[in-house]
Amino acid sequence: MYEEDDRDVNVLKHVLPLMSRHAAGYHPISYAVWYEYVKGAHPELRQNVDDELKRQERLTAGLTYSIYSKHLVAPAEQALMVARTNLLELVEQVKQAVHEADRDTAGFDIRLTEFQRELAAATTVEDMGGHVSSMRLEAQRVSDGFGKLSTQLEHSKDEVRHLTDELHRIREDALTDALSGLLNRRGFDRELQRLAPKEGAQDGALTVIMLDIDHFKKVNDTYGHPLGDRVIAAVGQSIRDCLGDVGVAARYGGEEFAVLLPSQPIEIAESVAQSIRQRVEQGRIRRRQGEEPVGGVTVSAGVAAWHPDEDLASLIERADRALYASKRAGRNRVTVDAQ
């Protein structure tokens, strides 16, 4: 234990001077980069830093964020870090442009006062003409400065719009299952919390449908995983087609799906589940170009409505039990929880 603490102290002695020499200073992300650099646990990070220092004497704040994002965070977080870095740099650019415009404005105010005195003291047309020409050039200089600021602000507006779109895309990617096109488990959990019935809500404030593809392992074993992927995608499409804007759906895990229906009676939820079941049953999925499509894919479903005396985990559990009741009863059917 003491040996490990001693090593950390020794690493820290080298980290702090490095942080002080670079533009990101003592920011926590700067600390993370230089700590890993000194510790040597990430050879790729160390090589990246060394390569950059061959090109320039010190790392910029943006470059420090970039190295941190590339080597020390997960892909979704990495994309967020890049967007954040771009936004920070954009703010700095706008601040600089505003500062320059403000400085020019302050100088112009002083120059106007001088111009008033010069005009009051002028005794000849030549004097007045010289002062007016000088003032015209000064006005043009300030106007150019505001023009630069306006251009910078317009560019910033476009860049913020682009970054907003990018952050929205990142968020969607992080919450979406690429295969089915539905929410992934993380997205489902977030929606479940968002739609959780409030205190005082009545029975049925939230209804859940759990669905599972029947004999999915047999599909994979018989036709291969590429067809299995197409089955998952087709079931996801069937759920979207039947659900419309009534609720939200997710790929809950593997071949299991979940649907949340807020403020819908259990009869409507059962009808939606039956519609999904029938659409999947009637669908036919093509294996390869020119080959006969595969039919016979079915789903089983379970439906449960929320009660005021239970938590969300209990609601999901009851819908899941109803699903497996459908499985035990022969599959390709919908079971409604009786509680």
Side-chain angles (χ1 to χ4, degrees), residues 29 62-63 65-71 73-90 159 162-163 166-167 169-170:
I29 285 178
L63 194 50
Y65 278 111
S66 177
I67 291 171
Y68 173 83
S69 300
K70 182 177 180 181
H71 298 284
V73 296
E77 291 174 328
Q78 176 179 336
L80 288 171
M81 289 300 302
V82 170
R84 182 185 175 201
T85 299
N86 291 341
L87 194 56
L88 286 171
E89 292 181 347
L90 182 64
E159 188 66 20
H162 168 73
L163 288 171
E166 182 67 11
L167 288 171
R169 182 192 65 78
I170 292 166

Side-chain angles (χ1 to χ4, degrees), residues 232-306:
I232 288 173
V235 171
Q237 185 61 55
S238 295
I239 293 172
R240 282 197 301 276
D241 291 343
C242 294
L243 193 59
D245 298 326
V246 176
V248 295
R251 184 181 176 194
Y252 195 71
E255 65 271 24
E256 193 170 10
F257 300 82
V259 174
L260 299 174
L261 295 167
S263 304
Q264 296 292 336
I266 199 163
E267 295 80 12
I268 294 295
E270 182 182 9
S271 176
V272 170
Q274 290 287 9
S275 296
I276 295 170
R277 184 193 64 76
Q278 291 166 5
R279 184 174 288 256
V280 172
E281 184 182 26
Q282 293 162 5
R284 296 177 68 79
I285 301 165
R286 193 171 296 279
R287 284 181 283 173
R288 295 184 184 86
Q289 190 68 29
E291 292 188 1
E292 284 296 313
V294 175
V297 176
T298 62
V299 296
S300 298
V303 182
W306 178 80

Side-chain angles (χ1 to χ4, degrees), residues 127-147:
D127 287 343
M128 291 185 65
H131 296 322
V132 169
S133 295
S134 175
M135 194 63 238
R136 183 177 59 80
L137 291 174
E138 185 68 15
Q140 185 62 50
R141 183 184 68 80
V142 174
S143 176
D144 291 345
F146 277 110

